[in-house]
Amino acid sequence: MTTAVPAPSSRDLPHPTPGEIRLEGVLHALSDPVRLRIVRELAAEGVPLSCSHFDLPVSKSTTTHHFRVLRESGVIRQNYEGTAKMNGLRRDDLDDLFPGMLDSLLTAATHQAGRHSGA
Amino acid sequence: MTTAVPAPSSRDLPHPTPGEIRLEGVLHALSDPVRLRIVRELAAEGVPLSCSHFDLPVSKSTTTHHFRVLRESGVIRQNYEGTAKMNGLRRDDLDDLFPGMLDSLLTAATHQAGRHSGA
DNA sequence: GCCGTACTACGATGTCTATCGTACGACTCC
DNA sequence: GGAGTCGTACGATAGACATCGTAGTACGGC
């Protein structure tokens, strides 16, 4: 009756349901360069990545903070896997809520990155 | 007796060039509910609107602030026309910089508004 | 059991920002 | 010119946020 859930790890993290995801929150989450970079990398890899995979120009505490903002805004899904915390883009949820938006944003980010580095 | 020609008012406003528009700035500008609402209304009307056209739940000073944020981030273009200050979406610039993004965002906003009011 | 790794929680801090009210400048109309 | 309308500038304020360091917790390997 109750949970036959294969809980590989007892630590659970709160995520917003699709209905709770707010566009403003998503945009705010993505308006920070560090977080935008995380999302771009996540999208580029296509698979969940551990926090430590990223080489960010901020401290560990700040990294935790940014990942939390992304999770609480509904952009990423986090779950523990041993000592590592895996981060995956909530692509399906976002695509369902805001069709095409994520791709447009990622394209825009890539486009802008090209403008600035490629000259 | 006013000049038939659109006399260029002496008051000029600084706008970022397309090259200066940053995606993060645009997203940040759009992450505020009041500003998102302004942009949606602007997009819906399709033509420049005066500041006073909007009935926003904030004071006049705050309204000015929000319009300035939108202008400085490159989302809207402002120019005086007599005592009125007209605000127009920089659709062409944004579409050129970030193809499809603005429409995706507007669609997303509409979609979300539907979710919340319609249910 | 112990230690190292991965990440978090907490507290502090400086900056940014959304908000307001009031005083002022620009323009139009009479 | 005077009055009214539209919007700005300035100063103040409270809350949010990005950042850090340190101490602590959970897990895996030895």
Side-chain angles (χ1 to χ4, degrees):
Chain A
M1 37 188 58
T2 47
T3 61
V5 179
S9 158
S10 52
R11 290 181 287 179
D12 254 356
L13 295 160
H15 288 80
T17 65
E20 287 168 348
I21 296 177
R22 300 280 309 164
L23 176 59
E24 294 90 332
V26 171
L27 296 183
H28 176 243
L30 264 32
S31 72
D32 183 282
V34 175
R35 292 194 291 260
L36 183 57
R37 174 168 156 183
I38 292 173
V39 170
R40 288 187 62 204
E41 210 158 327
L42 237 29
E45 296 291 330
V47 295
L49 298 172
S50 73
C51 291
S52 53
H53 172 274
F54 297 86
D55 186 29
L56 301 171
V58 293
S59 75
K60 268 175 103 122
S61 337
T62 307
T63 299
T64 296
H65 162 70
H66 284 309
F67 275 104
R68 173 164 25 182
V69 172
L70 286 172
R71 170 170 51 83
E72 291 181 343
S73 67
V75 177
I76 67 171
R77 190 176 292 283
Q78 296 187 294
N79 63 295
Y80 283 99
E81 223 156 277
T83 84
K85 189 182 198 174
M86 304 307 287
N87 305 277
L89 214 49
R90 291 181 69 173
R91 208 174 233 297
D92 34 6
D93 285 333
L94 291 174
D95 282 348
D96 189 51
L97 280 169
F98 312 121
M101 188 188 73
L102 184 58
D103 279 328
S104 295
L105 290 174
L106 289 169
T107 303
T110 303
H111 193 170
Q112 172 172 278
R115 268 199 293 144
H116 284 252
S117 68
Chain B
M1 332 292 246
T2 48
T3 47
V5 221
S9 302
S10 50
R11 290 180 287 179
D12 255 353
L13 296 160
H15 289 79
T17 65
E20 287 168 347
I21 297 177
R22 301 279 309 164
L23 176 59
E24 294 90 333
V26 172
L27 296 183
H28 176 241
L30 263 34
S31 71
D32 183 282
V34 175
R35 292 194 291 260
L36 184 56
R37 174 168 156 182
I38 292 173
V39 170
R40 286 187 62 202
E41 210 159 327
L42 237 30
E45 296 292 329
V47 296
L49 298 172
S50 72
C51 291
S52 54
H53 172 274
F54 298 86
D55 185 29
L56 300 172
V58 293
S59 73
K60 277 202 309 179
S61 337
T62 306
T63 299
T64 297
H65 162 70
H66 284 308
F67 275 104
R68 173 162 26 182
V69 171
L70 285 172
R71 170 170 51 82
E72 290 181 346
S73 67
V75 176
I76 66 171
R77 190 177 294 283
Q78 296 188 293
N79 62 295
Y80 283 99
E81 220 154 280
T83 85
K85 188 185 198 173
M86 303 308 285
N87 305 277
L89 215 48
R90 291 181 69 172
R91 211 173 230 297
D92 32 6
D93 286 333
L94 290 174
D95 282 347
D96 189 51
L97 281 169
F98 312 122
M101 189 187 73
L102 183 59
D103 279 328
S104 296
L105 289 174
L106 290 169
T107 303
T110 303
H111 193 170
Q112 171 172 278
R115 267 199 293 142
H116 284 251
S117 69

